[in-house]
């Protein structure tokens, strides 16, 4: 502690005063600090301060007040200003301990002169827990206030003279106020019409004098504008710790809408009864155990029973066992899932004829929202059912006839497009397909090539082996060629003889020549057995490629003509070879071997 002889009088403490101060400093449990007013440097700290802050005394006395205060200079200045405005003789500040924890403290400081120096003597109280408790209390009060103000019910507290000391938003608004201040400290005679205020005070006086509460009393009343309302009122005495009545707590709920609903419900029930009795449908209700609790007159007529013979009974009392089992299963499904079902089923009262009905089953609920049973409605659709069966039979017959017709049409279309002998596309259809491929190639500037081929000396085959063998040769030829071409390629019989044409979409002349050579080689290796010996044959192939020309458009007829000219050239070149329209045989051979 700062030591030395202190001045007397205003200059400082006397020797006895310093001794008393030293004793107070060393033994007191309160945290005490001595610091320089200007710099805030800590000059001395009592043992309680050393223990509180967690620093050694040497370390603590080497620090400043700013270092243990968890506020900026501006925040500390703001707290000082706030203390002046609130007329406090202390500051509330967060102080940092050696371990990093922050504690909220109240700091009371006063000047002290020791050894001729003016110092600042501070007593520090840890109020962290108190502040936390105050904040929690304030939070609880705010929550309570928010709760009361957001409840739709009128809630208020009155003293023994009937003056309101608490009023939530619903209460002061109901009294015509613009804020709680318009009703607090005032009685109902200040805010309500005299007759209504007198009635309120009579009830209040009864509770205040007898201590007997009024619980959930429905009563008519008027609002501030004089409009009739219904209120559900509860008033209970407010007692102190000794049990003496010191006021009352009131809760009022506007039940005008509920009363209106109840009245409307009463009228609705009457209307419902009139409605279900006038409807032509059969209507009934069963509880969750499957027992009938209601049935309209039409249902009773259908069952050939009086209402008292139906209520309390189950389907097993009214229907054959197999139907009763089904009805019960459907009811349980509705009760368990809460779903509405609609179905067509057989209906047969005991001892009566069987007929078809369309039925709707839906759950109904009790006042607690729990499923109480099933509500059913059904009507006779026997005639409609018979008509539907006949219509369905007719539809099935028509459907089958349509399937057969479509199959026949497909066969006819296939026959109209297919060559009967070779099963490839016929001449007419190959021209249609060629027109489409030519249009696509021209539009998208894609290559398109055509192969045209026929059998070398086919007439000799027919003359030597017979026309039946010649037909088998053409069939086998088509099969061999089809195995070589791609799925996107199109083959067709060009005429009625041995001439064929192949469309090659997105194919240039080089790729077309390679394909033509594979086809030529496969045909050369082909063998066809006949009664007069084995048949071998070769083919000649002409190739033409679509050339894009802005000056002149190329038609299908033109393209086929070019391929035909190339085929003619192949025939003249010795047969069993390939020629390309517009390319000399020498150039073709060089390009093929390139």
């Amino acid at each position: 502690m700062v030591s030395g002889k202190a001045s007397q009088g205003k200059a400082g403490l006397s020797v006895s005063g310093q001794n008393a101060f030293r004793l107070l400093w060393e033994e007191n449990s309160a945290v005490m600090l001595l610091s320089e007013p200007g710099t805030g440097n800590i000059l001395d700290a009592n043992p309680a301060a050393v223990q509180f802050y967690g620093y050694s005394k040497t370390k603590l006395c080497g620090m400043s007040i700013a270092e243990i205060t968890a506020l900026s200079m501006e925040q500390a200045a703001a707290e000082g200003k706030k203390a002046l405005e609130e007329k406090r003789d202390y500051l509330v500040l967060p102080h940092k301990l050696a371990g990093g924890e922050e504690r909220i403290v109240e700091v009371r400081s006063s000047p002290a002169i020791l050894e001729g120096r003016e110092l600042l003597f501070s007593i520090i109280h840890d109020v962290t827990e108190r502040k936390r408790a105050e904040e929690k209390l304030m939070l609880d009060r705010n929550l309570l206030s928010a709760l009361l103000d957001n409840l739709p019910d009128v809630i208020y507290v009155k003293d023994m003279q009937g003056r309101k000391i608490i009023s939530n938003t619903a209460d002061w608004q109901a009294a015509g106020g613009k804020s709680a201040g318009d009703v607090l400290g005032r009685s109902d005679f200040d805010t309500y019409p005299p007759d209504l205020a007198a009635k309120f005070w009579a009830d209040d006086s009864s509770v205040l004098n007898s201590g007997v509460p009024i619980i959930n009393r429905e009563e008519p009343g008027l609002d501030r504008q004089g409009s009739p309302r219904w209120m559900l009122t509860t008033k209970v005495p407010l007692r102190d710790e000794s049990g003496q009545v010191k006021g009352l707590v009131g809760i009022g709920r506007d039940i005008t809408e509920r009363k209106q609903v109840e009245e409307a419900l009463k009228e609705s029930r009457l209307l419902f009864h009139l409605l279900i009795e006038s409807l032509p449908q059969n209507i009934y209700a069963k509880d969750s155990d499957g027992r009938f609790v209601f049935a309209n007159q039409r249902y009773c007529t259908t069952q050939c029973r009086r209402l008292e013979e139906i209520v309390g009974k189950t389907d097993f009392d009214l229907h054959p066992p197999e139907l009763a089992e089904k009805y019960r299963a459907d009811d349980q499904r509705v009760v368990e899932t809460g779903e509405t079902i609609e179905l067509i089923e057989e209906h047969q009262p005991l001892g009566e004829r069987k007929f078809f009905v369309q039925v709707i089953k839906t759950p109904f609920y009790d006042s607690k929202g729990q499923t109480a049973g099933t509500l059913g409605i059904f009507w006779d659709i026997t005639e409609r059912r018979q008509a539907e069966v006949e219509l369905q039979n007719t539809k099935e017959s028509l459907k089958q006839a349509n399937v057969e017709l479509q199959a026949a049409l497909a066969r006819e279309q296939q026959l109209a497009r297919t060559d009967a002998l070779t099963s490839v596309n016929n001449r007419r259809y190959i021209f249609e397909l060629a027109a489409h491929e030519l249009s696509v190639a021209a539009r998208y500037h894609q290559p398109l090539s055509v192969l045209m081929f026929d059998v070398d000396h086919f007439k000799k085959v027919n003359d030597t082996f017979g026309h039946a063998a010649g037909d088998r040769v053409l069939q086998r030829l088509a099969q061999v060629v089809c195995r070589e071409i791609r799925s996107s390629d199109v083959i067709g019989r060009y005429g009625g003889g041995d001439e064929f044409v192949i469309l090659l979409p997105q194919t240039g002349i080089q790729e077309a020549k390679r394909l033509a050579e594979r086809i030529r080689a496969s045909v050369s290796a082909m063998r066809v057995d006949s009664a007069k010996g084995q048949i071998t044959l070769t083919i000649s192939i002409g190739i033409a490629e679509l050339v894009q020309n802005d000056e002149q458009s190329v038609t299908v007829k033109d393209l086929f003509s070019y391929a035909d000219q190339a085929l003619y050239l192949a025939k003249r070149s010795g047969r069993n070879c390939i020629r390309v329209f517009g390319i000399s045989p020498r150039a073709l051979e060089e390009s093929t071997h390139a």
Side-chain angles (χ1 to χ4, degrees), residues 139 210 291 436:
L139 177 61
S210 68
R291 297 188 179 278
H436 171 73

Side-chain angles (χ1 to χ4, degrees), residues 543-582:
I543 306 175
E545 181 184 20
L546 173 65
V547 178
Q548 307 289 347
N549 191 337
D550 294 335
E551 297 179 358
Q552 181 179 3
S553 60
V554 177
T555 65
V556 172
K557 186 176 180 181
D558 294 335
L559 194 57
F560 282 177
S561 176
Y562 300 154
D564 191 40
Q565 293 178 46
L567 173 59
Y568 179 73
L569 182 59
K571 293 289 188 181
R572 292 186 59 186
S573 299
R575 294 182 172 82
N576 193 24
C577 63
I578 301 167
R579 292 295 180 264
V580 178
F581 176 77

